[in-house]
Amino acid sequence: MTPVTAVVPVKRLAAAKSRLDLPVARRRALALAFAVDTVAALAASPLVGDVVVVTSDPLVAWHLRRLPVRLVPDDDGGGLDAVVRDGIRAASSWRPGSGVAVFPADLPCLRAADVTEVLTRAAVAPATFVPDRSGTGTTVVVHQPGSAPATGYGPAAARRHLALGLVALSGAPARARHDVDTRADLEAARLLGVGPRTAAVLDTAEAAGTAEAAGAVEPGAAGIRRPRWQPTP
């Protein structure tokens, strides 16, 4: 199979994961960790030729420059579908004729083997999508070479993608269907197994929470500690 170009839109950390009921600092740290783990899994798959990350967040860009990615600025001028279109245009200019796969930045359980399986399954049709674990949303969208890319993210995205003519990959691996928006999603992801960056943030928060409970740190500090792997400003 010919490798595809993966497109990953990443929100500014200040606006990311607003439904995740956690202190702001911890929520931002997790959003960054999710993105790093997702992109690392994509870059490790033999069926991904390039990874294009669309973001306007300088901290996200700083961390992802450590990985083999191409960064495209996001001017925050439109919704998710507009951001994805910008990424697809950049991908098409760098790798004309390549297929395109859009992955969200909140798949912390994703592994390279899952990426490869999704892209292998996607060969069954010109345009496919992966329903999220609820069956109503969408995580991944794949367009084969020659297919005009179209996405319909947002509420009831699975239904939107079906209406656009995309084929649902209902047998996709669980880790490719598990995006994280809520505390319940996060706990389920922990059980499924998260990537190393996400695990580091969770471990740091747990250690700080234990110290807080013992009175070793001020209340609330567990939610604002900087992960060990972030740069010091």
Side-chain angles (χ1 to χ4, degrees):
M1 292 180 60
T2 303
V4 305
T5 301
V7 173
V8 186
V10 185
K11 275 186 179 180
R12 291 187 69 88
L13 296 179
K17 299 296 120 192
S18 58
R19 293 168 54 198
L20 197 55
D21 183 23
L22 290 169
V24 173
R26 200 186 310 174
R27 192 172 68 230
R28 293 179 182 180
L30 282 169
L32 177 57
F34 295 167
V36 172
D37 282 334
T38 300
V39 171
L42 292 170
S45 170
L47 292 186
V48 174
D50 261 322
V51 181
V52 175
V53 174
V54 188
T55 188
S56 61
D57 193 295
L59 186 59
V60 170
W62 191 92
H63 278 279
L64 292 183
R65 282 195 180 97
R66 300 178 176 187
L67 297 171
V69 304
R70 298 175 185 255
L71 293 167
V72 174
D74 169 18
D75 60 10
D76 291 326
L80 179 56
D81 288 316
V83 173
V84 168
R85 283 195 296 271
D86 289 343
I88 290 174
R89 277 195 294 269
S92 298
S93 68
W94 286 324
R95 278 186 173 264
S98 172
V100 176
V102 181
F103 282 79
D106 60 351
L107 295 174
C109 303
L110 194 68
R111 303 291 188 271
D114 304 316
V115 177
T116 301
E117 182 176 344
V118 166
L119 297 177
T120 300
R121 287 175 176 269
V124 299
T128 55
F129 73 97
V130 175
D132 67 6
R133 67 189 187 117
S134 73
T136 60
T138 294
T139 55
V140 186
V141 171
V142 184
H143 287 273
Q144 302 297 330
S147 172
T151 60
Y153 286 104
R159 188 169 59 205
R160 290 168 180 253
H161 287 118
L162 286 172
L164 287 170
L166 281 70
V167 173
L169 299 176
S170 55
R175 288 185 291 257
R177 301 177 63 192
H178 199 107
D179 52 346
V180 175
D181 289 315
T182 66
R183 285 284 292 273
D185 295 337
L186 182 59
E187 290 307 311
R190 189 199 297 262
L191 293 175
L192 189 57
V194 296
R197 297 301 190 185
T198 302
V201 174
L202 293 174
D203 289 348
T204 299
E206 284 183 357
T210 300
E212 179 181 312
V217 298
E218 295 181 2
I224 60 174
R225 288 192 172 191
R226 180 182 293 275
R228 292 188 296 272
W229 46 273
Q230 286 189 358
T232 301

